[in-house]
Amino acid sequence: MADKKDPRSSKTPSKRSANKASTTASKSAKKAATRKAPAKNVKKRGIGRKIWSIFWKLSLAGIIAMALYLIYLDAKITRQFEGNKWQLPAQVYARAMGFYPGQFLSSQEVVWELDRLNYSSVNKLSRTGQYVKAGDSIKIFRREFEFYDGLEQAQVIELRFAGQKLASIKDKFGRRLNSARLEPVQIARIGNDSKQDREFVPLDKFPPMLTDTLLVVEDQNFYQHHGVSVFSIMRALYSNIKAGRTVQGGSTLTQQLAKNIYLTRDRTLIRKFNEALIALILDYRYSKDQILEAYLNEVYLGQSYNQGVHGMGLASEFYFSKPVDELEYDQIALLVAMVKGPSYYNPRRYPERTMERRDLVLRLMVDNKLIDTREYRAALKRPIDIAPMKDSLPKSYPGYLELVDRELKKLLPDQEVLDAGVRVFTYFDLQKQAAMEEAIEKSLPYLEKRSTTEQLEAAMISVNVEKGGVSALVAGRDPRFLGFNRVLDTKRNIGSLVKPAVYLTALGLPHYNLATLLDDSPVQVTNEQGKVWQPENFDHQYRGMMPLYKAFSKSINIPAVNLGLDVGVDKVADTLTKLGAKGNIPHYPSLLLGAVEMSSFDVAQLYTTLAADGEYRQLTSISALTDSVGSVLYQHNVSSQPRFDKAAVYMTKYAMKRVTKDGTAKRLNAHFPSIQLAGKTGTSNDLRDSWYAGFDQNTVTVAWLGRDDNKSTGLTGSVGALETYIRYLKPLNPEAIADTRPPSIRWAFIDELTGKQAPPGCGKVIQLPLRATEFEPRPSCQR
């Protein structure tokens, strides 16, 4: 029995062993877990480090990229903002009307010019752009203008007239002035590839009411924020909710400027982000006034045909035909109203909605105490009065501007200079241009009906004799047609317009004078090839011997041919060259009757030399060029080159005066009996070309009528072109020619039958100018 074991005693060691084994296994598991944990943590920490490394590297790259982008934006912004922000069109101006005591000028001419400059006729002067006409005087509050020879301040001047002359000029204090002038009319704006048009105006030239109103409507905190304003966005949202419609925008003026100059109009988050960045850079780089000035000149305010109207300065001219500093309160409100949407608030297309928006801006003006209640009510009553669209044609005078453009390309071949706001001062005379257009418009239908012809075309040009400046030009029947320029490019036979050159050549020789007898008998000329040329008179009649002056005034062919053959065709060709003809002149006998092709411009050059007493002055349309800040780029210095004997020119001009008194252009004397004019008619073979070239004291004019197909017009120069010239001269104020007799000329009585001096009463005697060396103090009657 002693050998048996207690079951409980046998189980106890087993449990202990199991517990011990369990404990040992647990410890082993813990040790194993302890050994695995560091590896897992290390792996987690490694992933974290990698993520952090990628994060800070990407962040650094982003910061560097943003910095580089900001540097790029900054460079782009400053380059454009500090350089030429815009491609500015070339502004073309007419001649400025000048005044001096004793000037041949009527009050009607001055009023006409003032109306074209959009001056207002008032009872009392209160600001620039106004005039008062009372009796024989005109008081003008002239606008300030930057001429090529300097700035002229706004000034009150009084002009007093005595008939057709200006008697005196006085300032507002009654002091006499030696001279004065108006600002010139802007006749065109020659655009560029940008399709944008603007007129740069410095900030100090904008009326404070305009800038204040703009800020009230568009950006009240402009001078407080830094380019982007959260407060402006919240304020705009509040104002719009309060008004029940959109009355204000959330973008600052700086943001709008950034969008307009540097960005597209895409509505994307990227564009808005860029807009904010650029606005911040602009605000950091430039003063508030610089930004405001740029905005006022950049803002888009409508469309003029294919050109965008940018800036308040140009918009003022485009919509109201007046400079921005003369705008009324309602006009200021309208321009500011249009900033929100120039197409939607187009006053020409949508006057009702535009007026509603304008009135809202006026309300904001009175609420912000920019105007008082009385001014507000007065402005509300004013209708929207917009200038006609036709006044904004980019090229109202295409024929003349074609000449300007050709000269510009020679004077300023650099296109970048042209795109930088060049101002072009010309010799263009608006009154002469208007008279010329009307003359062509009315004379061609009249002549077509009278002569049973059709499809007549015209070319006409006027030149200021003193300067050699082209003052008016119409290039075809339709003065607004931009196409082939018949004044510059149509070359046709000039017919009898060549005869002054023939007679001038002879009168330059000592043995010819106005009384010299010329033979009007049939003549034949055989050239070296044996060909016979037999010219005829227009009427197929012959008169025998006749005095030179009469053969000239009656435009008889045969005497001119005989005279030209006597002096030499080559000498006549030389005379044409000295008068200003370009190219080779044919040395054929037919030259003596005008068998040489010239344009109207070429003919005007010849006759300007004659009108200027034989002094050659090269024709031009441009008097000066300045850049956008007024620096002179070019100035036309009149160069007069004496090319002919004064006595010979004086006698030639006398004969040309006789043409208008009792010669082929005697109809002029019927219309202008008290005004001494000079000129010459011309007709080419088969009546293909009808010419007239003539002048008064100040202006040379050439008129041509013909057909583009070179068929007969059925018109002589004395019927066709002269009719157009008479109609042209009618509305103007031509001044009689007042030649100064040179010392080498004396007046003498001449017997027309003998061509010798004779006392009065000795047959048919006429008084003519002769060379002093030929003068006989006591001639005898030799009949």
Side-chain angles (χ1 to χ4, degrees):
M1 294 293 296
D3 295 332
K4 289 186 177 179
K5 294 182 179 177
D6 191 344
R8 288 175 296 182
S9 60
S10 61
K11 286 181 179 178
T12 301
S14 298
K15 286 183 177 178
R16 287 178 181 171
S17 300
N19 290 338
K20 186 175 181 181
S22 175
T23 301
T24 304
S26 176
K27 288 181 180 179
S28 298
K30 285 182 181 179
K31 286 181 181 179
T34 303
R35 286 196 300 269
K36 289 179 181 179
K40 192 173 183 181
N41 289 339
V42 168
K43 186 175 181 181
K44 286 182 179 180
R45 285 198 296 271
I47 293 172
R49 289 193 188 100
K50 285 182 180 180
I51 293 173
W52 171 250
S53 175
I54 292 171
F55 173 76
W56 73 259
K57 287 177 181 178
L58 287 176
S59 299
L60 181 60
I63 293 170
I64 293 172
M66 179 59 71
L68 291 174
Y69 185 60
L70 288 173
I71 292 171
Y72 160 75
L73 277 182
D74 182 68
K76 177 182 176 181
I77 291 166
T78 54
R79 182 173 61 252
Q80 185 168 349
F81 202 89
E82 295 175 8
N84 293 326
K85 298 183 188 67
W86 313 283
Q87 288 186 352
L88 299 174
Q91 301 173 58
V92 185
Y93 293 93
R95 63 93 183 92
M97 176 174 273
F99 309 115
Y100 58 88
Q103 180 180 2
F104 195 76
L105 182 71
S106 67
S107 60
Q108 291 84 358
E109 289 178 271
V110 176
V111 170
W112 194 96
E113 188 83 7
L114 290 170
D115 290 343
R116 296 310 177 277
L117 285 164
N118 295 302
Y119 275 64
S120 301
S121 177
V122 296
N123 296 321
K124 185 179 179 181
L125 299 179
S126 60
R127 65 181 185 187
T128 59
Q130 298 177 335
Y131 72 93
V132 176
K133 186 174 187 314
D136 60 355
S137 74
I138 303 176
K139 281 188 177 181
I140 306 168
F141 203 150
R142 188 196 66 192
R143 298 177 179 126
E144 177 184 288
F145 190 80
E146 180 81 33
F147 290 89
Y148 61 86
D149 53 358
L151 175 68
E152 290 205 6
Q153 301 288 347
Q155 182 184 17
V156 174
I157 58 174
E158 181 179 7
L159 309 177
R160 287 195 173 274
F161 297 86
Q164 298 294 301
K165 287 193 173 182
L166 179 59
S168 66
I169 313 169
K170 296 180 180 179
D171 65 12
K172 65 179 180 180
F173 302 109
R175 296 174 299 200
R176 290 183 177 272
L177 302 175
N178 294 325
S179 64
R181 57 182 167 178
L182 298 174
E183 76 275 16
V185 176
Q186 187 179 107
I187 60 173
R189 305 171 65 81
I190 301 177
N192 46 59
D193 296 335
S194 70
K195 300 298 182 184
Q196 294 185 8
D197 191 10
R198 62 173 48 77
E199 183 169 334
F200 179 79
V201 179
L203 182 60
D204 60 358
K205 299 299 182 184
F206 285 103
M209 182 62 70
L210 174 60
T211 54
D212 290 346
T213 302
L214 178 67
L215 295 180
V216 161
V217 175
E218 294 293 326
D219 193 349
Q220 287 190 12
N221 296 314
F222 174 74
Y223 281 96
Q224 284 75 48
H225 62 64
H226 297 289
V228 178
S229 173
V230 175
F231 178 78
S232 294
I233 297 172
M234 299 304 296
R235 188 200 72 245
L237 181 62
Y238 171 76
S239 298
N240 295 338
I241 293 173
K242 182 180 178 182
R245 58 185 181 276
T246 303
V247 296
Q248 292 185 19
S251 295
T252 66
L253 287 187
T254 315
Q255 286 176 270
Q256 293 179 42
L257 179 64
K259 176 182 65 177
N260 292 340
I261 293 185
Y262 302 103
L263 302 171
T264 66
R265 295 186 176 274
D266 297 337
R267 295 178 176 273
T268 63
L269 290 175
I270 294 176
R271 200 268 292 161
K272 290 296 291 183
F273 177 70
N274 280 326
E275 177 186 299
L277 285 181
I278 294 172
L280 291 169
I281 294 172
L282 283 172
D283 193 85
Y284 174 76
R285 281 284 189 183
Y286 304 104
S287 70
K288 291 292 187 179
D289 285 351
Q290 287 176 298
I291 294 171
L292 183 58
E293 179 184 79
Y295 181 88
L296 288 166
N297 284 283
E298 167 59 30
V299 59
Y300 173 70
L301 289 167
Q303 198 75 14
S304 174
Y305 299 95
N306 66 336
Q307 293 282 325
V309 177
H310 288 260
M312 293 288 184
L314 181 60
S316 177
E317 297 285 354
F318 180 67
Y319 291 108
F320 307 115
S321 295
K322 62 171 66 175
V324 69
D325 59 354
E326 293 178 11
L327 292 175
E328 306 285 350
Y329 293 151
D330 62 294
Q331 294 169 335
I332 287 173
L334 179 61
L335 291 185
V336 173
M338 292 177 65
V339 170
K340 180 174 174 55
S343 299
Y344 188 79
Y345 296 109
N346 185 331
R348 292 190 175 96
R349 297 184 63 185
Y350 311 111
E352 294 83 6
R353 72 169 65 149
T354 304
M355 178 175 282
E356 183 181 355
R357 174 72 180 172
R358 182 206 69 175
D359 294 348
L360 176 62
V361 173
L362 286 170
R363 181 67 185 176
L364 291 173
M365 291 169 72
V366 71
D367 287 347
N368 287 271
K369 310 224 179 318
L370 299 181
I371 57 176
D372 58 33
T373 304
R374 180 183 59 82
E375 293 167 333
Y376 167 66
R377 289 173 179 169
L380 278 178
K381 292 178 181 178
R382 294 183 61 126
I384 293 181
D385 187 14
I386 302 299
M389 190 70 170
K390 64 181 179 62
D391 292 344
S392 302
L393 286 171
K395 290 193 174 182
S396 297
Y397 311 102
Y400 191 93
L401 292 170
E402 171 69 16
L403 175 60
V404 172
D405 188 56
R406 294 186 190 188
E407 293 186 20
L408 267 178
K409 288 176 180 176
K410 294 179 182 178
L411 295 172
L412 294 177
D414 188 347
Q415 188 64 39
E416 287 189 10
V417 177
L418 282 175
D419 289 343
V422 168
R423 297 199 302 165
V424 184
F425 295 88
T426 72
Y427 290 106
F428 184 82
D429 188 312
L430 204 57
Q431 295 188 30
K432 290 177 181 176
Q433 181 72 21
M436 188 176 288
E437 291 179 3
E438 184 177 5
I440 290 174
E441 179 185 355
K442 293 183 176 179
S443 67
L444 295 193
Y446 167 78
L447 291 168
E448 287 172 337
K449 183 178 179 181
R450 175 181 175 181
S451 304
T452 62
T453 187
E454 57 184 11
Q455 297 179 350
L456 282 179
E457 273 297 348
M460 205 165 179
I461 179 174
S462 282
V463 177
N464 176 294
V465 176
E466 181 185 3
K467 304 291 187 181
V470 178
S471 51
L473 188 155
V474 175
R477 183 180 189 122
D478 180 1
R480 297 290 180 267
F481 178 69
L482 180 59
F484 184 69
N485 195 313
R486 292 171 183 82
V487 171
L488 304 179
D489 300 324
T490 293
K491 293 184 180 291
R492 305 292 275 265
N493 282 359
I494 65 174
S496 293
L497 293 190
V498 78
K499 289 176 181 174
V502 176
Y503 288 102
L504 176 59
T505 305
L507 293 171
L509 302 174
H511 50 286
Y512 289 100
N513 59 47
L514 291 171
T516 300
L517 296 180
L518 302 179
D519 188 13
D520 181 20
S521 301
V523 62
Q524 290 186 353
V525 180
T526 304
N527 65 15
E528 296 177 354
Q529 287 77 34
K531 292 184 179 180
V532 177
W533 179 58
Q534 187 170 347
E536 294 181 333
N537 291 327
F538 182 76
D539 58 5
H540 306 293
Q541 297 180 13
Y542 301 95
R543 299 158 184 79
M545 304 303 292
M546 62 189 309
L548 183 149
Y549 86 89
K550 186 171 287 188
F552 191 154
S553 66
K554 302 293 185 182
S555 196
I556 311 299
N557 288 342
I558 301 304
V561 171
N562 284 324
L563 181 62
L565 293 173
D566 287 345
V567 300
V569 176
D570 57 334
K571 287 186 172 58
V572 174
D574 289 343
T575 296
L576 285 169
T577 300
K578 289 168 67 178
L579 285 170
K582 305 295 182 183
N584 295 323
I585 306 297
H587 290 196
Y588 303 130
S590 57
L591 169 66
L592 304 173
L593 293 182
V596 57
E597 292 186 343
M598 291 188 184
S599 67
S600 302
F601 186 88
D602 297 332
V603 174
Q605 180 69 79
L606 307 184
Y607 277 73
T608 299
T609 305
L610 285 169
D613 298 325
E615 294 188 2
Y616 172 80
R617 295 160 189 167
Q618 184 173 347
L619 301 191
T620 181
S621 63
I622 298 176
S623 62
L625 300 172
T626 68
D627 62 18
S628 58
V629 296
S631 299
V632 177
L633 302 174
Y634 163 81
Q635 186 170 352
H636 175 227
N637 296 314
V638 181
S639 175
S640 295
Q641 305 171 23
R643 293 188 172 182
F644 297 95
D645 173 62
K646 293 292 184 184
V649 175
Y650 186 86
M651 290 187 284
T652 302
K653 289 177 70 174
Y654 170 82
M656 296 177 74
K657 293 176 188 176
R658 295 301 298 258
V659 171
T660 68
K661 286 295 182 184
D662 50 25
T664 55
K666 62 185 177 183
R667 282 203 295 142
L668 275 170
N669 190 51
H671 288 278
F672 307 96
S674 61
I675 300 173
Q676 179 62 72
L677 303 169
K680 186 71 190 73
T681 57
T683 310
S684 66
N685 288 341
D686 302 321
L687 306 182
R688 291 190 178 96
D689 305 283
S690 174
W691 291 93
Y692 182 76
F695 50 89
D696 62 5
Q697 176 66 17
N698 306 306
T699 307
V700 169
T701 301
V702 175
W704 169 86
L705 302 182
R707 289 173 51 131
D708 287 341
D709 59 10
N710 205 24
K711 291 183 179 179
S712 175
T713 64
L715 302 170
T716 63
S718 59
V719 173
L722 182 61
E723 173 70 24
T724 305
Y725 179 71
I726 290 171
R727 290 175 182 264
Y728 163 65
L729 221 54
K730 280 280 188 180
L732 300 178
N733 187 24
E735 184 176 358
I737 297 171
D739 288 323
T740 302
R741 178 174 61 85
S744 56
I745 288 290
R746 297 286 297 272
W747 285 85
F749 289 99
I750 304 293
D751 184 343
E752 287 197 355
L753 291 179
T754 64
K756 304 292 183 183
Q757 290 185 62
C762 180
K764 191 176 182 180
V765 175
I766 185 173
Q767 195 174 24
L768 295 173
L770 298 178
R771 292 182 184 275
T773 54
E774 300 176 87
F775 181 74
E776 298 178 21
R778 297 177 181 275
S780 59
C781 186
Q782 301 179 18
R783 277 180 171 265

